[in-house]
């Protein structure tokens, strides 16, 4: 039998750090990453034959769980008809109509293959439309790894504690202004100083990539007003939050409409697909209608579109989908909080819809600065303890865990029981 250790050794000979995305490494928690061979519903099985209850969910896409039969059927059928044409297909329009049903402000959109591509294209469009150079982003928000956005970034960048990124020229980084999340005065100040040069503010309206951090009341509306008054665009990066709490995103729940929205993860149903879109007048600047160029050989790929369409249709077809998913998540979170209280472990649990983070922090986490007060060694102990009990969490304090529709009340009860046992050893 090949062990995870042996698989990692072989992988390390061909991949930097043995992985194809840094967040998959276990550097922050210790031990070897699990090499997966199979997923079914809420469970994954690694190559050592161990099965785990999965709260990583491929980092967000798998809201229906692994290998959902309807998604698999749609994917197989699409693959049999031909995996790619480089020509338009009807299903792309059907998917776009489904997306617009959920995000009416995405009057027109463009399908791409990754969240990185969506945000990168959205800020290019914002610069193209406004003729301005500067982008405002928030400390600890992650918008993929395009040069302009890889400044003070969250996710793996935060996990590794990297200050900046070699390879991103100073001249590019200088066009990205970084302010703390949830600090209205800080954004106002940036607009006072640079207002006429700011093309866009890009934000995770609920952050997931410094761990889950929700906006303070009125904060997103403030961003909306500030950008509108300054003639800058507001971009909601809902790659993670889209379809996580409702058939829509934070924009619907908070009643704030951005100019552009980026989606990914759930919208691709577990295949590489993402989207950016917004007001028709703005999207008219995208080639070939307009002059802002953006293209992709595999954009709107038929197999990925089939997975996305099957996922969204399944969700929309079930009125009980979100109420059930949210109730499951609430139960889990309440159980984890109670277990921590019982064993006097200081945690702050942040949740949005079906995503959550257990911060081992003494204070409320409202931005990246407070997120960083969390005790990452305590998190690592929690992570390893849970893994030993067969519960697979994201291997970093600064990430969101995901609950899927495949997680049952029994799974939740098991997870809470495991957490109690682990917390007891952590006192
Ligand atoms: C995951 C994520 C991205 C990047 O998407 P990729 O498909 O990994 O390129 C961008 N923004 C947010 C908010 C994300 O969570």
């Amino acid at each position: 039998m090949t062990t995870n250790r042996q698989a990692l050794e072989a992988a390390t000979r061909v991949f930097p750090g043995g992985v194809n995305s840094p967040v998959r490494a276990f550097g922050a928690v210790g031990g070897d990453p699990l090499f997966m061979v199979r997923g079914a519903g809420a469970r994954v099985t690694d190559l050592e034959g161990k099965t785990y209850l999965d709260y990583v969910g491929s980092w967000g896409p798998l809201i229906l769980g692994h290998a959902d039969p309807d998604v698999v059927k749609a994917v197989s059928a699409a693959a049999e008809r031909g995996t790619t044409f480089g020509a338009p297909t009807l299903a792309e329009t059907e998917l776009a109509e489904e997306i617009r049903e959920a995000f009416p402000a995405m009057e027109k959109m463009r399908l791409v293959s990754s969240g990185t591509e969506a945000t990168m294209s959205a800020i290019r469009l914002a610069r193209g439309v406004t003729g301005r150079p500067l982008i405002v982003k928030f400390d600890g928000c992650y918008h993929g790894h395009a040069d302009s956005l890889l400044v003070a970034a969250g996710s793996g960048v935060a996990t590794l504690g990297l200050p900046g990124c070699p390879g991103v020229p100073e001249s590019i980084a200088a066009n990205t202004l970084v302010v703390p999340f949830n600090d209205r005065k800080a954004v106002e100040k940036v607009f006072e100083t640079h207002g006429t040069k700011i093309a866009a503010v890009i934000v995770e309206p609920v952050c997931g990539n410094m761990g889950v951090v929700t906006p303070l009341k009125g904060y997103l509306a403030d961003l909306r007003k500030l950008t509108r008054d300054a003639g800058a665009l507001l971009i909601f990066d809902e790659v993670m939050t889209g379809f996580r709490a409702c058939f829509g995103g934070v924009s619907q729940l908070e009643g704030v409409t951005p100019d552009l929205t980026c989606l990914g993860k759930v919208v691709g149903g577990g295949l590489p697909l993402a989207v950016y879109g917004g007001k028709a007048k703005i999207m008219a600047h995208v080639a070939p209608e307009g002059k802002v160029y953006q293209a992709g050989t595999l954009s709107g790929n038929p197999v990925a579109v089939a997975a996305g369409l099957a996922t969204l249709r399944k969700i929309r077809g079930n009125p009980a989908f979100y109420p059930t998913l949210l109730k499951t998540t609430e139960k889990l979170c309440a159980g984890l909080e109670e277990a921590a209280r019982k064993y006097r472990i200081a945690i702050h649990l942040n949740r949005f819809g079906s995503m959550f983070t257990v911060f081992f922090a003494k204070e409320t986490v409202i931005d990246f600065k407070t997120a960083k007060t969390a005790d990452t060694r305590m998190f690592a102990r929690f992570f390893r303890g849970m893994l030993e009990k067969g519960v697979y969490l994201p291997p970093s304090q600064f990430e969101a865990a995901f609950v899927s529709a495949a997680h049952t009340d029994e799974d939740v009860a098991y997870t809470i029981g495991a957490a109690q046992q682990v917390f007891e050893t952590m006192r």
Side-chain angles (χ1 to χ4, degrees), residues 50-380:
K50 288 197 202 102
T51 295
Y52 296 85
L53 196 46
D54 178 26
Y55 290 100
V56 178
S58 188
W59 301 89
L62 299 181
I63 200 159
L64 298 177
H66 293 269
D68 176 84
D70 294 319
V71 176
V72 171
K73 212 165 95 195
V75 164
S76 322
E80 272 171 25
R81 290 191 299 266
T83 57
T84 177
F85 303 105
T89 56
L90 198 55
E92 291 159 66
T93 308
E94 289 169 7
L95 177 61
E97 284 168 354
E98 199 71 42
I99 291 169
R100 213 174 45 180
E101 192 70 34
F103 289 84
M106 296 174 80
E107 296 168 2
K108 279 195 179 182
M109 65 194 83
R110 172 60 58 84
L111 304 185
V112 294
S113 299
S114 72
T116 292
E117 225 186 322
T119 55
M120 179 186 78
S121 308
I123 61 168
R124 178 183 305 140
L125 177 58
R127 284 169 163 154
V129 169
T130 60
R132 299 172 175 188
L134 302 180
I135 300 293
V136 176
K137 83 173 278 291
F138 298 90
D139 191 18
C141 277
Y142 179 72
H143 306 289
H145 62 88
D147 282 353
S148 298
L149 296 169
L150 212 50
V151 181
S155 188
V157 183
T159 303
L160 295 170
L162 303 175
C165 179
V168 176
E170 185 51 47
S171 57
I172 289 179
N175 284 319
T176 303
L177 309 173
V178 180
V179 288
F181 186 70
N182 265 336
D183 183 342
R184 187 170 49 102
K185 290 234 163 64
V187 204
E188 278 173 3
K189 217 168 133 209
V190 147
F191 269 92
E192 272 163 29
T193 318
H194 305 282
T196 57
K197 286 191 172 167
I198 295 171
V201 170
I202 185 166
V203 64
E204 294 180 68
V206 166
C207 306
N209 287 290
M210 54 179 103
V212 174
V213 176
T214 51
L216 298 174
K217 201 162 179 290
Y219 182 66
L220 297 173
D222 288 341
L223 294 182
R224 178 64 283 185
K225 184 169 187 319
L226 263 176
T227 44
R228 185 178 288 134
D229 290 352
L233 301 191
L234 179 62
I235 305 172
F236 274 6
D237 179 356
E238 299 227 43
V239 168
M240 189 184 287
T241 52
F243 301 101
R244 259 294 143 198
C246 65
F247 197 73
V250 182
S251 58
Q252 285 78 5
L253 296 173
E254 295 280 322
V256 177
T257 306
D259 299 293
L260 291 171
T261 302
C262 299
L263 299 173
K265 300 199 167 114
V266 171
V267 86
L271 270 83
L273 187 144
V275 194
Y276 70 99
K279 292 196 179 105
K281 232 172 75 189
I282 296 173
M283 291 304 289
H285 289 264
V286 177
E289 207 171 317
K291 291 178 185 156
V292 179
Y293 197 75
Q294 184 272 311
T297 302
L298 292 175
S299 291
N301 173 263
V303 184
V305 166
L309 202 49
T311 300
L312 297 192
R313 282 183 175 161
K314 185 159 183 169
I315 294 174
R316 194 158 64 88
N318 176 7
F321 185 85
Y322 286 104
T324 309
L325 178 64
L326 267 52
K327 207 185 283 166
T328 307
T329 314
E330 271 162 30
K331 261 190 212 153
L332 173 61
C333 292
L336 292 174
E337 281 178 321
E338 197 188 310
R341 254 196 316 273
K342 183 168 170 197
Y343 294 105
R344 301 231 170 93
I345 308 278
I347 65 160
H348 273 93
L349 194 151
N350 284 358
R351 181 176 79 88
F352 171 72
S354 52
M355 53 192 252
F356 69 93
T357 300
V358 179
F359 284 105
F360 288 84
K362 293 201 169 65
E363 51 182 307
T364 313
V365 175
I366 56 155
D367 56 13
F368 193 36
K369 190 167 143 241
T370 43
K372 282 191 290 196
T373 66
D375 187 334
T376 52
R377 284 203 313 242
M378 285 287 273
F379 175 83

